[in-house]
Amino acid sequence: MRLTGPEPERFITDRVAEALPAYEVTAMLGHGGHAVVLAGRHRRLGRTVAIKVLSTSAADGGAHGRFLAEARLLAGLDHPHVVRIYDYVESGDLCLLVMERLAGGTVRARAANGLTVDVVCAIGLATAAALECAHAGGILHRDIKPDNILFSADGLLKVTDFGIAKLIGASGAAPSTLVGTPVYMAPEQFDGRPPGPACDLYALGIVLYELLSGRPPFVRALSMAQLMDHHLRVAPQPLDAAPPAIAAVVDRALRKEPGARPPSARAFALDLAAATAHALGAGWLTRCPLPLRLDDDVRDAARGSPPARTPPARTPPARTPPARTPPARTPPARTPPARTPPARTPPARTPPARTPPARTPPARTPPARTPPDTPPSAVPPPATASPRRWSAGVIRRRSLNRTARRDLRPADITSAPLRVDYPYSVVAAPDGAVYVSQRLRHRVLRIERDGRTVHVAGSGKSGPHGDGGPAVNAELDNPCGLALGPDGSLFIADSFNNRIRRVAPDGRIVTVAGSGRHGPPAGPAARHAASLNLAHPHGVYVDAAGLVYVANTGGHQVIRIDPDLRAAPLAGAGVPGLSGDHGPAQFAQLRRPHDVTAPPGRNVYLADTDNHLLRAVDADGIISTAAGMFYGASPDDGAPARIADVGRPHSLAPTPSGGLLVTDPDRGRVRLVTHDRLVRIFADARTGLRRPLGVTVHSDGTAFVVDTAQHLIHRLPVA
């Protein structure tokens, strides 16, 4: 019986269903060699499973033993990042392995759409954790590759396919037998040396090299003899696509001699976690979208904290001896008091007894000082059944030195900013009002200068319906960026509906771009905007000529739409990555751009968010980096823009003086890129911000900043 030959799929599923009466067999998920994988569901538990099927009649003589060994090995492993096995059944010439179904696809499939450095490092940590569990149980995987690392439906990474796994120290295949996938095999797997945990780490190093650079260190097109020679003798090209600290960890895993590699999967994970924290910042793990189940020491290393924890653990014993020795030294210290009675008599030494009372008033004054400070922040909520009012006392403006560059000074935060539930983006109207999107409320509000709040779009129910009718009755789904057109129309990046929608001055809403389907990136040819398949657009901007710019975040592009609704990519080939500077912007690579702005007479600026860059497209369509570096940027306030740290830029707003405000929610900062190409901190935690997302600047020089963590909108003076 051949499982991959002409035999009908229905016959295979019927045979499996007969052997597993407790399961409903639904469809074929894939096949390879003599095994196929079917989708199934436990009839009573409702649990979805994958059923791996082997036909021993068509397989080689050792396949049955390897299949049974895989079942036994998996049954002995219990780790969140290792696929779980539920059952093993033999029926005639069929061997059936019932395991956890991983519906999230393989790492290779995800890598085809591009992976950020933090996600790649998280994949490395999760895989290392799974290998540590396997190695602790005396098991080598021997076939780590992107196809054998999958994701569950909730995004949790799982290492699977232990079909050629081997017990450490057990006798294996004959020395002439190559076991594994040649591109990912360690040198010792080629020359017959006994394999150990280091061979799995070598394969993991190749996986990370490939995910970071887009290619394995030794290309698949090489013949078997050439691959063997490369693994044994040729050093890989330097991993320039990764931060140096991370590249060094990968390079160590790719050493030819097993003893030169990390001594264990845990040691590799600790090195990788510390290197990632060094390269991406201590908070990278909290920003990473991949769920991880890591041991405490690895998680601490990923936070950059192990060095701070280890000294305290070692110092107590060192501190305790000094604590015990003083008693031995105190007797001489007690004898002087016997000699000092005359020294106690002088009244000049009594003031030390009076100083405690002198110190207590300062201790009492802080409570006395806090009440005056707390009412301004505490009074507005009660007094504002109107936290919705912009009162004259909302902003305390300092008198700025007229000779100083006002747009280079940190902003003076308001003492009573406006409170709005779940604000995301903001745009200022010419009359001084502001529009605010409420992403999780699926609405857009207008806040008048006198504090009145007007509901302008979104019924509050998520959905795609309502075009052609009143905007207040229409459905939105996670509205993000906002923009105002020359005629006063409001444009909304209706993110989860994959559309750009327009609210006319008469209150009617229509779709101006996006088919509503989440689709592949747009090609270079122009097409009607309504036919575009957008991918969760986050930003939108409309210039004075009516040109609409869309940050198509999931499509890794910025799209320009003319007044006739003809759309074409302005920047981004649709393939995530970092390339293209000083060339045509259409062929450059971006990574999840979140916003775009086009100030009059200036370049078009893009927030290339996951590349940590601010990029510019000039009038000739040539792209360049305006500010930021992918890694190694300078955190100094006032650093030149080209080497400055701009974090993960999210929203952009031009200032009247020719600068550009850039929000960095991950670090709680708003930066100002000045007209002379310096990057300064405009507002941060010192001025009360926690997670700034949206930003806009009114023509009068007032900046409005959305603080999504505090559900506030701050009003700050810019110029």
Side-chain angles (χ1 to χ4, degrees):
M1 168 184 169
R2 285 191 58 83
L3 295 179
T4 58
E7 185 172 0
E9 178 182 336
R10 168 54 71 186
F11 182 76
I12 300 172
T13 56
D14 288 346
R15 287 284 313 275
V16 174
E18 181 181 351
L20 298 173
Y23 292 87
E24 175 187 357
V25 182
T26 56
M28 182 181 291
L29 297 177
H31 60 80
H34 299 289
V36 300
V37 181
L38 305 176
R41 178 179 175 275
H42 196 284
R43 298 181 188 278
R44 291 194 175 185
L45 299 180
R47 179 171 60 197
T48 58
V49 298
I51 305 168
K52 191 172 182 179
V53 186
L54 175 74
S55 172
T56 57
S57 64
D60 62 85
H64 177 275
R66 291 196 300 270
F67 203 72
L68 178 59
E70 179 182 8
R72 289 174 174 168
L73 293 175
L74 285 174
L77 299 180
D78 183 15
H79 193 277
H81 290 303
V82 176
V83 65
R84 297 179 61 189
I85 182 172
Y86 299 132
D87 203 355
Y88 176 78
V89 175
E90 294 183 2
S91 176
D93 61 346
L94 293 184
C95 298
L96 310 174
L97 183 60
V98 183
M99 62 181 68
E100 177 183 9
R101 182 176 176 184
L102 303 176
T106 65
V107 164
R108 187 176 302 284
R110 289 203 181 186
N113 296 321
L115 297 174
T116 55
V117 173
D118 59 341
V119 171
V120 172
C121 293
I123 290 172
L125 293 179
T127 306
L131 291 176
E132 175 67 19
C133 173
H135 295 167
I139 300 168
L140 300 179
H141 190 286
R142 298 201 297 172
D143 198 20
I144 291 294
K145 58 185 178 182
D147 309 87
N148 289 341
I149 307 172
L150 287 81
F151 297 92
S152 62
D154 59 358
L156 190 64
L157 180 145
K158 303 272 186 173
V159 175
T160 185
D161 208 346
F162 283 74
I164 63 170
K166 179 183 186 296
L167 294 177
I168 298 176
S171 60
S176 61
T177 303
L178 294 181
V179 180
T181 304
V183 174
Y184 303 94
M185 286 168 55
E188 58 268 31
Q189 290 177 278
F190 284 98
D191 62 10
R193 285 177 288 174
C199 74
D200 284 343
L201 298 183
Y202 183 92
L204 178 54
I206 291 184
V207 169
L208 297 182
Y209 186 106
E210 181 178 358
L211 297 180
L212 289 166
S213 66
R215 55 180 176 79
F218 309 126
V219 297
R220 295 178 177 83
L222 296 174
S223 67
M224 178 63 72
Q226 290 173 322
L227 274 174
M228 179 185 300
D229 182 69
H230 278 63
H231 281 292
L232 289 170
R233 298 177 181 84
V234 179
Q237 291 292 322
L239 185 55
D240 296 330
I246 297 172
V249 175
V250 175
D251 178 71
R252 186 184 177 194
L254 296 180
R255 301 290 173 84
K256 304 301 182 184
E257 289 300 321
R261 300 172 208 151
S264 67
R266 180 181 294 274
F268 174 85
L270 289 170
D271 289 346
L272 179 60
T276 310
H278 174 77
L280 305 183
W284 77 273
L285 200 59
T286 60
R287 302 189 299 268
C288 180
L290 199 67
L292 293 173
R293 306 291 185 267
L294 304 176
D295 290 341
D296 289 343
D297 55 347
V298 178
R299 191 170 290 275
D300 289 341
R303 294 170 178 155
S305 57
R309 291 192 172 188
T310 49
R314 294 174 184 172
T315 48
R319 289 178 183 173
T320 48
R324 292 174 183 170
T325 52
R329 296 175 184 174
T330 48
R334 289 176 184 171
T335 53
R339 298 174 185 171
T340 53
R344 293 179 183 173
T345 54
R349 295 184 180 175
T350 53
R354 294 176 185 172
T355 52
R359 290 174 185 170
T360 50
R364 293 175 185 171
T365 51
R369 288 176 186 173
T370 49
D373 288 341
T374 48
S377 59
V379 170
T384 59
S386 74
R388 308 185 171 214
R389 289 190 63 85
W390 300 117
S391 64
V394 166
I395 301 177
R396 293 197 299 260
R397 296 179 182 264
R398 296 177 182 173
S399 58
L400 300 178
N401 183 356
R402 296 294 179 182
T403 61
R405 294 274 303 279
R406 297 177 66 183
D407 61 341
L408 302 185
R409 297 172 60 91
D412 208 4
I413 201 76
T414 67
S415 60
L418 180 72
R419 179 174 180 83
V420 177
D421 288 340
Y422 305 107
Y424 185 90
S425 183
V426 62
V427 64
D431 60 1
V434 293
Y435 292 88
V436 182
S437 62
Q438 294 179 289
R439 185 174 184 180
L440 299 184
R441 296 289 192 197
H442 313 292
R443 299 188 308 177
V444 177
L445 307 178
R446 174 183 162 99
I447 304 171
E448 306 288 355
R449 289 181 63 91
D450 61 4
R452 290 181 299 110
T453 300
V454 181
H455 175 204
V456 297
S459 64
K461 176 185 176 183
S462 64
H465 305 295
D467 270 2
V472 293
N473 298 332
E475 296 172 350
L476 304 175
D477 197 345
N478 283 258
C480 292
L482 302 175
L484 286 171
D487 64 348
S489 296
L490 176 68
F491 290 77
I492 305 169
D494 195 358
S495 182
F496 279 27
N497 279 328
N498 299 307
R499 295 174 175 173
I500 302 299
R501 302 175 82 175
R502 172 180 175 269
V503 180
D506 64 1
R508 300 280 174 177
I509 190 170
V510 295
T511 295
V512 296
S515 64
R517 293 185 296 273
H518 186 289
R527 66 181 70 184
H528 195 277
S531 68
L532 287 174
N533 292 334
L534 300 178
H536 300 319
H538 278 65
V540 60
Y541 183 84
V542 184
D543 68 12
L547 291 171
V548 180
Y549 299 85
V550 178
N552 188 26
T553 305
H556 312 287
Q557 288 180 317
V558 171
I559 296 170
R560 180 167 55 194
I561 305 169
D562 64 26
D564 295 329
L565 298 184
R566 300 295 295 173
L570 170 74
V575 178
L578 175 54
S579 69
D581 269 4
H582 311 298
Q586 279 192 342
F587 303 107
Q589 287 181 305
L590 312 176
R591 191 176 273 122
R592 294 186 59 78
H594 272 64
D595 202 9
V596 56
T597 187
R602 296 161 62 185
N603 294 329
V604 178
Y605 294 97
L606 326 174
D608 194 357
T609 304
D610 283 0
N611 279 329
H612 302 260
L613 300 176
L614 178 65
R615 302 178 82 175
V617 180
D618 65 18
D620 296 324
I622 303 300
I623 193 169
S624 60
T625 296
M629 294 182 70
F630 186 73
Y631 57 85
S634 169
D636 297 339
D637 190 23
R642 191 58 187 85
I643 64 169
D645 180 7
V646 296
R648 294 181 69 248
H650 193 93
S651 294
L652 310 175
T655 68
S657 61
L660 196 67
L661 291 181
V662 184
T663 64
D664 178 11
D666 293 342
R667 298 186 186 176
R669 293 176 178 175
V670 179
R671 295 179 176 86
L672 175 67
V673 182
T674 66
H675 72 276
D676 52 356
R677 300 181 64 79
L678 300 177
V679 175
R680 298 189 180 276
I681 295 178
F682 173 74
D684 58 11
R686 295 171 297 178
T687 47
L689 293 182
R690 285 179 56 190
R691 187 171 174 80
L693 276 182
V695 62
T696 188
V697 179
H698 190 266
S699 58
D700 67 359
T702 300
F704 298 87
V705 181
V706 168
D707 189 341
T708 186
Q710 302 184 77
H711 304 277
L712 299 176
I713 301 174
H714 303 287
R715 190 170 69 167
L716 318 173
V718 178

